[in-house]
Amino acid sequence: MMQRLSDGLEFQAQALALRSERQRLLASNIANADTPGYVARDLDFAAALRDAAGASGGAAGAAGAALRTLRAGLASLPLATTALAEGDLRYAAPSQSNLDGNTVDMDRERASFADNSLKYEATLRFINGHVRTMLDAMKSHQQG
Amino acid sequence: MSMFRIFDVSGSAVSAQSQRLNVVASNLANADTVAGPDGKAYKARHVVFQTELMGAASAAGVRVAAVGEDSTPGRRVHDPRHPGADADGYVTYSNVNTVEEMVNMISASRSVQNNLEVMNTARALLQKTLQMGA
């Protein structure tokens, strides 16, 4: 029962960790906008989240035993906190080639950055809503 | 929390860009410098940016790898009355290209603004993360 409550939260936590990872990636791209030879990189968010959710048993894995989810949850913790593996990162295709080999497209990076910040905030709100729901469920009916 | 690295990344970029701005300032200040007694005028300087990994592959900051001198020959103007003129009556000015330096300055200033905004956004998001669950 408890585990079903925390599964959704765990999924959102993983999404949040990946969002912050992508935010850092986009910040690196913007920081290196004038570095010769720098190749812009991005994250395939859907695939990365699928990988992360699959490693932890996923939000849909409700039938699993408590021990299994606990173990998987612990195993997924370092994944969420440490850096992404090199294979998860994709190189952005340059829209306009540059003489110095830099492929940072500032317009695209700024747009992605704004998009990612918004979605990070949305994930935060989901988590807050989830926590509030759980707190409400724990309250006795006299407390209102 | 990997978001904290953003401050390192963007901070390194701001510091590198400000160094670039510094070099532009000294180039512009010396735009009209003539050759000294050694016959060598001021040479324009340019920064060389390099990516610097900060802990993880996805945190790439910037650093100034070197400050190089522009090797193009200085501007020569025929002005025999000038005290700095050589035997043929030519004065050698510095090789600073003022237009190029102005463009460099605008580019550096825009980059600094971009990175500051990135830091501001990261700060706002982190502040909201701290209030999570409240």
Side-chain angles (χ1 to χ4, degrees):
Chain A
M1 176 59 198
M2 200 57 207
Q3 162 205 341
R4 212 176 301 164
L5 280 175
S6 62
D7 255 1
L9 202 59
E10 198 177 291
F11 176 74
Q12 297 292 357
Q14 241 144 14
L16 194 72
L18 281 175
R19 283 274 169 227
S20 78
E21 200 76 44
R22 181 161 186 242
Q23 194 82 350
R24 196 177 70 183
L25 211 54
L26 293 172
S28 303
N29 286 347
I30 293 176
N32 281 284
D34 296 321
T35 311
Y38 179 82
V39 184
R41 309 220 270 182
D42 206 347
L43 179 66
D44 184 354
F45 188 81
L49 186 59
R50 211 177 301 126
D51 282 356
S56 71
L67 188 70
R68 190 186 59 108
T69 352
L70 185 70
R71 208 184 298 131
L74 285 176
S76 78
L77 210 60
L79 178 96
T81 48
T82 56
L84 287 161
E86 192 73 17
D88 289 332
L89 302 179
R90 300 276 184 276
Y91 291 102
S95 54
Q96 295 175 54
S97 56
N98 210 337
L99 207 60
D100 65 359
N102 188 302
T103 65
V104 177
D105 180 350
M106 197 43 111
D107 301 326
R108 191 180 52 200
E109 299 302 335
R110 288 290 299 263
S112 303
F113 194 81
D115 166 75
N116 200 58
S117 343
L118 194 75
K119 285 174 179 164
Y120 183 92
E121 227 178 301
T123 308
L124 267 181
R125 284 196 188 196
F126 289 148
I127 292 177
N128 281 339
H130 206 104
V131 169
R132 208 163 303 130
T133 309
M134 286 211 280
L135 282 176
D136 280 347
M138 286 174 203
K139 276 182 196 156
S140 74
H141 64 281
Q142 280 105 343
Q143 277 180 304
Chain B
M1 196 64 202
S2 57
M3 282 268 271
F4 286 113
R5 273 279 150 76
I6 290 182
F7 295 108
D8 296 342
V9 170
S10 295
S12 75
V14 169
S15 119
Q17 296 289 351
S18 76
Q19 202 166 334
R20 178 183 178 194
L21 214 52
N22 230 328
V23 169
V24 168
S26 45
N27 284 350
L28 280 176
N30 284 289
D32 286 325
T33 315
V34 292
D38 57 346
K40 284 185 195 134
Y42 175 85
K43 292 278 186 197
R45 270 150 216 184
H46 299 295
V47 290
V48 180
F49 283 161
Q50 201 175 51
T51 304
E52 182 184 32
L53 288 185
M54 300 190 149
S58 59
V62 194
R63 72 189 178 94
V64 176
V67 180
E69 275 192 355
D70 198 327
S71 59
T72 51
R75 189 160 45 96
R76 278 164 66 81
V77 176
H78 186 68
D79 186 3
R81 286 180 302 172
H82 196 286
D86 61 6
D88 301 325
Y90 278 98
V91 185
T92 309
Y93 285 88
S94 74
N95 62 350
V96 176
N97 185 336
T98 336
V99 178
E100 227 171 70
E101 297 301 332
M102 288 305 281
V103 172
N104 233 336
M105 182 191 80
I106 294 168
S107 167
S109 136
R110 288 280 181 262
S111 293
V112 168
Q113 280 174 27
N114 270 329
N115 282 294
L116 287 181
E117 208 173 302
V118 166
M119 279 200 272
N120 263 333
T121 311
R123 186 184 55 84
L125 286 179
L126 276 173
Q127 210 149 36
K128 279 172 182 152
T129 313
L130 283 177
Q131 291 162 1
M132 180 165 38

